[in-house]
Amino acid sequence: MKRKRGGEEEGMDIVWQTPANPPHPHDYVFRNGIRFVRPYYFEFIAHVKNRWAGKTIVDLFAEEFKGRPYDYYVSAVKCGRIQVDGEIVPVSYVVKPSQKISHFLHRHEPPVMACDVVILQNEPDVLTICKPASVPVHPCGQYRKNTVVGILQAEHGLAPLFPIHRLDRLVSGLLILARNAAKADIFRQQIEAGLVHKQYIAKVVGEFPEDKLIVDANIEYNAREGRSTAEVRDSAKGKAACTKFTRISTNGTQSIVLCEPITGRTHQIRVHLQYSGHPIANDMLYLSEQTVDRSVKGWSADRSARISNVSLTSDLDEVLNACEENSNEDFSIDPMCTNCPNLAPKGYDGDEDGLWLHCIRYTGPGWAYECPYPDWAKLI
């Protein structure tokens, strides 16, 4: 869809995308094992919430969307890249409840690891894939095309797809997607009825107990900090949560553990393993200072350095720096964009190691789907 915003340079021929525009294979740029998305023009749409009402259009954006400087929002309003109800407004305009706000911007998505999204089974109503770590399942936050759903649509023409369970962005393994809304609803009903059994494997710190371990501890999620904490069962805090753990193997330093969550709380497996004293060995969010020393014994020297070094560095950082030098070979530079000339958005720290947590099996009434084990599940 070609549209010029008021005040745009006459020489710019911009194609604005909306969520209705599907991703295509040419949208991606691959460099040194990293999948980038070629920056594109996109229309973000929102409606004024009651708590936003009474603010000027510039103050609203500066206070609610802090990823760009105040001066950018002033310029964006003046040139028509921010509009209210489809109209250009002055920077002093005061918004009212339920008004439609459009923000036309040059969108840069964070990169992900360039692992294939492997299709395991492709049935008329169900698609199962092996989700690579670092790739979010569906559009969220800064991610739209660099998602499992986006990649499957771009590279395999598979759409629409309805993920029937969650996998965090840094978690890998089995992901089940319904091919239609009716099948998705059947899965949803089975999950809510407790008829679906989930199994994961994790590589954890230390020698995990040989006997089965059941962790029955409430989980409280702190959205501001982006992490969960485990509380004793009779605590008034958090929601009830239960996970079964069974040791598969150990080398005395680390263990491979089968994880079977009975409930489905945010970060449940990760925080319950931490609660047990055996956190996931590369889970920097839940590793304590005491367990870091034990976990790095099983890591290569460069990964160990990542833990002890306050300013994390990685091969991905070098790739990002190299991309900055010649990024304009792959896309047009936008004069107003606060991320150009880089491929990746500013503030991206390049810390993209996947967690040693992998979904291997889901079973339900009359069905079962599995995913192969990852390479890290072999202890030397």
Side-chain angles (χ1 to χ4, degrees), residues 46-56 60 64-65 95 101:
H47 290 84
V48 177
K49 302 176 182 178
N50 287 333
R51 65 182 179 85
W52 295 355
K55 296 181 179 180
T56 67
L60 186 161
E64 299 292 335
F65 306 99
V95 299
I101 298 177

Side-chain angles (χ1 to χ4, degrees), residues 153-191:
Q153 185 171 12
E155 298 183 349
H156 300 278
L158 293 168
L161 295 172
F162 303 84
I164 66 105
H165 62 100
R166 295 179 301 176
L167 281 184
D168 287 345
R169 187 175 67 84
L170 295 179
V171 177
S172 60
L174 176 68
L175 180 67
I176 306 172
L177 305 106
R179 301 292 299 275
N180 55 68
K183 187 65 175 180
D185 193 54
I186 292 173
F187 278 124
R188 180 188 59 78
Q189 292 177 27
Q190 292 177 354
I191 291 173

Side-chain angles (χ1 to χ4, degrees), residues 13-65:
D13 190 16
I14 294 177
V15 178
W16 298 98
Q17 297 186 27
T18 71
N21 295 101
H24 296 279
H26 69 261
D27 292 337
Y28 301 98
V29 177
F30 297 90
R31 291 177 176 169
N32 294 40
I34 307 299
R35 180 193 291 264
F36 294 87
V37 173
R38 189 173 280 107
Y40 54 98
Y41 290 98
F42 188 79
E43 179 185 3
F44 279 100
I45 298 173
H47 290 84
V48 177
K49 302 176 182 178
N50 287 333
R51 65 182 179 85
W52 295 355
K55 296 181 179 180
T56 67
I57 186 67
V58 173
D59 287 345
L60 186 161
F61 272 87
E63 294 172 12
E64 299 292 335
F65 306 99

Side-chain angles (χ1 to χ4, degrees), residues 305-331:
R306 290 173 60 103
I307 294 179
S308 59
N309 195 341
V310 175
S311 58
L312 298 179
T313 60
S314 68
D315 292 338
L316 181 52
D317 294 321
E318 297 177 8
V319 174
L320 292 173
N321 291 333
C323 288
E324 292 176 9
E325 297 176 2
N326 62 351
S327 58
N328 58 357
E329 297 176 4
D330 296 299
F331 66 97

Side-chain angles (χ1 to χ4, degrees), residues 214-269:
I214 298 178
V215 175
D216 197 3
N218 289 7
I219 288 181
E220 183 173 28
Y221 179 67
N222 186 319
R224 182 179 295 273
E225 296 181 0
R227 59 177 291 154
S228 295
T229 53
E231 309 288 344
V232 294
R233 183 69 182 192
D234 57 357
S235 171
K237 295 182 179 180
K239 298 179 179 180
C242 181
T243 313
K244 297 180 182 178
F245 298 106
T246 306
R247 191 178 82 186
I248 297 175
S249 62
T250 186
N251 60 9
T253 301
Q254 295 175 328
S255 302
I256 301 298
V257 178
L258 176 67
C259 315
E260 300 173 277
I262 307 305
T263 51
R265 309 304 181 197
T266 301
H267 295 182
Q268 176 173 318
I269 294 174

